């Protein structure tokens, strides 16, 4: 099975029928249909219905489908789960996760629905969004709270309010939180997804932030508008040179193995295990993005 | 062979020069008349005759309504209205149809309340729809005989040199329309041409779009149009992510089509996605150091910007889509005004459309056989214009149609177009937000797309995706009354539009 990339996670308001219907056309890795903050209170029922019908009938062309549910604290999140879990098509993003217990409570509720509908228990995947000081400090236990978790995500807008600060172009205020979340995700072997960048008109600032979170080690970023897709995909996709170098490393290593050599030197540099691991990862990503096929094809011509 | 010439003896008495006669002559050649009524009377216009207009002011046009009101007051009946196009602002024509002033219409398109009224059967005779090239050919070949052309222009000198801007008098540019491309063909062939202008400028008004030799009368009027209306109509800039996605895909198709070479030529049709294609071609042009030899057609701000950045060498402008384009035509010697005939007449093998490599066109509907409808909506009501659609699709080496798979809950890729306007035979590629389809007859394009790893889908596949989401729409209910005859650019009848049943 090929790896699942989560470079781009596009927010789609659940009650905007046109956007829900057409969301599949954009070249994103994941679609995140929202029932929470982007849907007004009197629109929740409508949004659940629109989303249910869309997920039932529309082919989203293999994209990962995630629904951000409402909080379980006032019963709305439970209604979302009752509606959507039986479809067996979506992962659930739990908002405002403060502790491992929040994940466990949600998981229990999901498991009951799965049993009721004779679904495999554990088949519904989850994500947890961390949006508070408590959530950040508990990131490690949250990331390890359930086997259902495929990733944890930073939700910065609520977080900076909790931290008594605001978002800045440098992102200094999020340094600790981003690092905590990344460490926790890597420790649990799940994805780390960065928060949204809400100024659509500052594409340069957006690109700088994407480059920064890639350097930190994040898998990708939530986005609010399709105009942001290209920059993330560009930054997160390996360059042709990176792919060719990786190809050379892996193929040289395989040849060396055949004749019984464990460590090789390539262009005067020692190639050891971490370098080979990274090279394999690059090739894995390039396979999923289709870049490898294109490059191989060009060289065959 | 030349005719054998015989000569009369020269007589100095016959020369009029450097004398009073010459001065008088100058005054006599002043074509300005006191009022529109006087000009109309002077043309000898009679009931049953044909009058013509241009649509360079698009939805800001005031000339059509002003002239028709005047003709109505003068008691005319049964006139044939041949306009290069009609827009939302021409709603008052409804009352002139009811009064019997206008009995038949010949146009590229109809929009708004007038289109709605005609679709509901207000006229006894069907509207004749022609492409811009088809109209030029009809005028040239005498199928349309214009008795009086009423042409609103932003600047004109007393002898009749008229233009869509003025290089001398900035006041004339308060109301500017740029190219007079469609009006040029009317002035050339009309039996009588009346210029209506709000700015009479001193002779010679150079450069001119219409030369004095084609002008009979000039009427000074207060108001010819609203410049803010030129920008409306079909032209707009888009930030709509769906349109941008389609534009990006179309650019990818063009770049990988084999027609994207240094010195290529291109036209962008009106419509958000179509106009946005330019911005996605730009990086590839810069990277490969390509320049386009020329851009053709309706010229928009985005094309002017590419020209100003040195990426397009020349602009051939039959119609300025916005004020930036109009001002570029005024200030820029590489921006050339051309007539509808020069642009697209099928009687002219040297027409600019035949020199075109690539055209990007919008559509209301495309069917699984690549046929395109740009005239009627999903409710059967007229809401568009043929424009240069048929002409450029036929002329260009690569005709790309951009269309969303769905507009709201309405599928735009259909099994059969509601009204056939541009035949699928002249359409090469259809680009939708859900995928790209290449006309199966274009084997070379298919091959080159495959070599460049561009995923191609069947239009039937796209149609199936659409109807899976929307269901198959109910057929539109029509009466058997024909309200529109749609002609192909060669003057043949390609389809009929029927009255909608309420």
């Amino acid at each position: 099975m090929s790896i699942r990339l989560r470079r781009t996670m596009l927010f789609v308001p659940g009650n905007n029928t046109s956007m829900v219907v057409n969301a599949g056309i954009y070249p994103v890795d994941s679609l995140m249909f929202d029932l929470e903050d982007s849907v007004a209170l009197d629109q929740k029922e409508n949004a659940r219905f629109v989303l249910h019908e869309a997920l039932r009938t529309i082919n989203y062309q293999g994209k990962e489908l995630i629904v951000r549910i409402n909080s379980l604290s006032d019963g709305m999140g439970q209604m979302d789960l009752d509606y959507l879990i039986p479809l067996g098509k979506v992962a659930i993003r739990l908002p405002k996760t403060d502790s491992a217990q929040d994940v466990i409570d949600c998981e229990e509720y999901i498991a009951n629905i799965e049993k009721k509908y004779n679904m495999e228990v554990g088949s519904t995947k989850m994500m947890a969004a961390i949006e508070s000081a408590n959530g950040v400090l508990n990131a490690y236990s949250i990331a390890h709270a359930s086997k259902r978790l495929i990733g944890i995500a930073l939700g910065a807008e609520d977080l900076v309010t909790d931290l008594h600060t605001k978002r800045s172009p440098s992102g200094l205020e999020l340094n600790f939180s981003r690092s905590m979340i990344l460490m926790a995700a890597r420790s649990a072997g799940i994805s780390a997804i960065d928060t949204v960048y809400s100024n659509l008109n500052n594409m340069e600032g957006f690109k700088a932030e994407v480059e920064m979170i890639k350097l930190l080690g994040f898998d990708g970023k939530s986005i609010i508008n399709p105009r942001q897709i290209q920059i993330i995909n560009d930054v997160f996709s390996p360059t042709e040179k990176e792919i060719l170098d990786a190809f050379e490393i892996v193929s040289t290593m395989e040849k060396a193995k055949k004749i019984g050599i464990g460590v090789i030197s390539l262009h005067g540099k020692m190639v050891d295990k971490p370098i080979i691991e990274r090279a394999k990862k690059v090739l894995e990503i390039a396979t999923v993005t289709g870049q490898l096929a294109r490059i191989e094809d060009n060289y065959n011509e | 062979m030349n005719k054998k010439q015989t000569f009369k003896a020269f007589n100095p008495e016959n020369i009029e020069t450097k004398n009073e006669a010459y001065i008088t002559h100058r005054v006599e050649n002043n074509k300005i008349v006191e009022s529109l009524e006087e000009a109309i009377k002077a043309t000898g216009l009679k009931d049953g005759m044909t009058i013509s207009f241009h649509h360079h002011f698009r939805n800001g046009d005031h000339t059509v309504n002003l002239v028709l009101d005047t003709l109505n007051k003068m008691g005319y009946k049964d006139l044939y209205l041949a306009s290069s196009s009609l827009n939302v602002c021409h709603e008052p024509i409804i009352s002139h149809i009811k009064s019997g002033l206008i009995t038949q219409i010949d146009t590229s398109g109809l929009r708004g309340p007038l289109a709605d009224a005609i679709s509901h059967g207000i006229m006894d005779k069907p509207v004749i729809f022609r492409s811009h090239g088809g109209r030029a050919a009809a005028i040239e070949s005498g199928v349309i005989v214009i008795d009086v052309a009423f042409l609103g222009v932003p600047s004109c000198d007393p002898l009749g040199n008229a233009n869509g801007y003025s290089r001398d008098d900035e006041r004339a540019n308060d109301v500017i329309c740029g190219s007079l491309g469609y009006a040029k063909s009317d002035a050339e062939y009309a039996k009588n041409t009346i210029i209506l202008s709000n700015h009479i400028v001193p002779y010679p008004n150079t450069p001119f779009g219409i030369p004095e030799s084609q002008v009979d009368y000039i009427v000074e009027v207060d108001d010819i149009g609203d410049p803010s209306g030129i920008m409306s109509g079909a032209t707009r800039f888009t930030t709509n992510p769906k349109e941008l996605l389609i534009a990006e895909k179309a650019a990818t198709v063009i770049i990988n089509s084999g027609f994207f070479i240094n010195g290529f030529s291109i036209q962008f049709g009106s419509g958000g996605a179509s106009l946005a294609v330019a911005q996605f071609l730009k990086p590839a042009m810069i990277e490969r150091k390509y320049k386009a030899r020329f851009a053709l057609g309706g010229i928009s701000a985005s094309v002017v910007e590419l020209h100003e950045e040195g990426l397009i060498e020349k602009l051939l402008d039959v119609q300025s889509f916005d004020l930036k384009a109009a001002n570029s035509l005024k200030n820029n010697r590489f921006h050339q005004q051309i007539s509808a005939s020069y642009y697209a007449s099928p009687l002219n093998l040297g027409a600019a459309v035949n020199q075109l490599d690539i055209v990007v066109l919008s559509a209301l509907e495309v069917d699984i056989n690549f046929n395109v409808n740009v005239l009627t909506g999903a409710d059967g009501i007229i809401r568009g214009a043929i424009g240069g659609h048929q002409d450029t699709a036929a002329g260009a080496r690569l005709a790309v149609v951009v269309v969303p798979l769905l507009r709201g809950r309405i599928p735009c890729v259909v099994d059969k177009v509601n009204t056939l306007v541009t035949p699928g035979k002249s359409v090469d590629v259809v680009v939708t937000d859900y995928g790209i389809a290449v006309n199966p007859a274009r084997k070379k394009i298919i091959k080159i797309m495959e070599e460049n790893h561009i995923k191609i889908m069947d239009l039937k596949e796209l149609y199936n995706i659409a109807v899976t989401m929307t269901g198959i729409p109910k057929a539109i209910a029509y009466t058997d009354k024909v309200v529109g005859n749609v002609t192909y650019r060669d003057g043949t009848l390609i389809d009929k539009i029927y009255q909608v049943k309420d």
Side-chain angles (χ1 to χ4, degrees), chain A residues 21-22 25-27 57-58 61 225-227 230 293-294 297 301, chain B residues 239-242 244-245 248-249 406 433-434 451-453 468-469:
Chain A
V21 166
N22 287 300
I25 63 181
Y26 300 106
T57 52
I58 291 170
Q61 306 177 26
N225 189 295
R227 276 154 64 194
Q230 191 62 46
R294 275 199 292 279
D297 216 71
E301 274 169 8
Chain B
T239 53
N240 177 338
K242 199 160 91 171
L244 290 172
L245 178 81
E248 193 181 357
K249 280 178 192 260
L406 308 173
D433 36 3
Y434 281 76
E451 283 170 6
N452 288 312
H453 304 282
T468 308
M469 290 190 270

Side-chain angles (χ1 to χ4, degrees), chain B residues 124-186:
Chain B
D124 293 333
K125 294 179 192 165
V127 172
I128 300 172
F129 290 96
R130 298 181 205 272
S131 73
H132 292 325
R135 179 175 193 269
I139 293 170
E140 288 165 329
S141 61
V143 171
I144 300 175
V145 177
I146 299 169
D147 293 295
V148 184
F150 294 91
L151 307 176
V153 302
S155 77
C156 185
D157 67 34
L159 273 66
N161 296 294
N163 213 353
Y165 56 88
S166 167
R167 281 198 187 149
D168 307 325
D169 187 346
E170 269 310 314
R171 283 173 307 161
N173 298 320
D174 293 345
V175 183
I176 183 172
C177 70
S179 177
L180 287 178
Y182 305 125
K184 283 162 83 78
S185 294
D186 290 34

